[in-house]
Amino acid sequence: VSFNAIDSALSSLKNCQSYINSGMDMATQVALDLVESFNDEEDVNNMEKVMLEYAKMDRELNHYIKAFEETINQVKQEKPENLPDLENLVQEKFLEMESMNSDSDLQRNEKYMYFKDQLKEMKKQYHGNDTIEQIDEDIAVTRSQMNFICPITQVTMKRPVRNKVCGHIYEEDAILEMIQTQKQKKKNVRCPKMGCSHVDVKGSDLVQDDILKRLIDSQKKQ
């Protein structure tokens, strides 16, 4: 049996995932724009609904791809004389996976969790509690500028990434280069933030910090 056509179809399905990811990234940026420009809360809530719809599509697509792959692998191993109805087998596996769905799956979608986290940070930055006692302005400016400095390069960051494990932030290129260099020496990377006890920084632990990037860009314009 030639599985070339099937592999091609599977590749197309995986391409669809990249479109879903792009859509989720765009929805996150739109929501942050809405918070930054003090738009109606309902508009922001609508973007959250969009994110959940994307998360649902992502889950369905993942299940379909998994059902597809498992069915093909099963047929390849068993090598039956007569090729079974692949479409039916895939559909059965897919429906079995879908029957296990719960709403909490969507809440655990990585991009949805990032969306919620960034939204919370953005609201804190732009809608902070007005009743909080004002810190001396010079101190506040110094503190914010300190947060813009990369602990590796010691210059203002352009593409800040946050470590999900310890919460520290670095310039993306600088931390990735450090990880790559240490990997070649077969060594782990200690978090370069002074005083941090995290001793195994991985590329997979890093996420873009859109809020900080916006604050840095905003300060540059001033």
Side-chain angles (χ1 to χ4, degrees), residues 44-175:
V44 179
N45 290 340
N46 284 336
M47 292 318 297
E48 184 169 351
K49 286 175 191 167
V50 169
M51 286 296 286
L52 286 169
E53 281 301 315
Y54 271 125
K56 194 175 176 183
M57 283 192 278
D58 188 54
R59 179 179 65 188
E60 280 182 20
L61 191 57
N62 278 327
H63 283 169
Y64 199 73
I65 289 171
K66 195 175 176 189
F68 212 92
E69 287 177 334
E70 283 182 8
T71 303
I72 298 308
N73 287 336
Q74 190 181 326
V75 171
K76 280 180 178 176
Q77 280 171 2
E78 292 172 4
K79 296 178 182 171
E81 286 182 30
N82 298 315
L83 193 64
D85 187 333
L86 293 175
E87 196 175 331
N88 268 348
L89 286 175
V90 170
Q91 191 66 11
E92 276 173 29
K93 278 187 190 288
F94 172 71
L95 292 174
E96 187 186 332
M97 289 176 194
E98 285 286 292
S99 69
M100 311 284 281
N101 286 349
S102 73
D103 287 344
S104 60
D105 298 340
L106 305 181
Q107 311 281 342
R108 286 195 300 267
N109 176 285
E110 196 171 334
K111 282 195 178 284
Y112 175 76
M113 285 163 68
Y114 177 73
F115 168 86
K116 292 290 284 181
D117 181 48
Q118 291 284 287
L119 213 53
K120 186 175 153 192
E121 282 300 313
M122 194 68 156
K123 285 177 179 175
K124 211 189 291 178
Q125 291 287 348
Y126 285 86
H127 302 263
N129 192 341
D130 295 333
T131 61
I132 292 173
E133 193 179 330
Q134 291 294 312
I135 304 169
D136 179 78
E137 201 173 320
D138 291 340
I139 297 174
V141 169
T142 308
R143 278 185 189 170
S144 68
Q145 285 173 341
M146 283 300 288
N147 291 337
F148 296 167
I149 304 295
C150 169
I152 305 166
T153 63
Q154 294 301 314
V155 296
T156 301
M157 291 176 278
K158 291 177 183 172
R159 287 174 59 85
V161 289
R162 181 162 42 85
N163 190 324
K164 290 187 285 186
V165 179
C166 62
H168 291 127
I169 299 164
Y170 335 99
E171 178 65 60
E172 185 177 35
D173 289 346
I175 189 66

Side-chain angles (χ1 to χ4, degrees), residues 186-199:
K186 295 186 167 55
K187 289 182 179 178
N188 290 344
V189 174
R190 173 183 277 278
C191 174
K193 184 76 175 173
M194 195 179 290
C196 182
S197 58
H198 182 42
V199 293

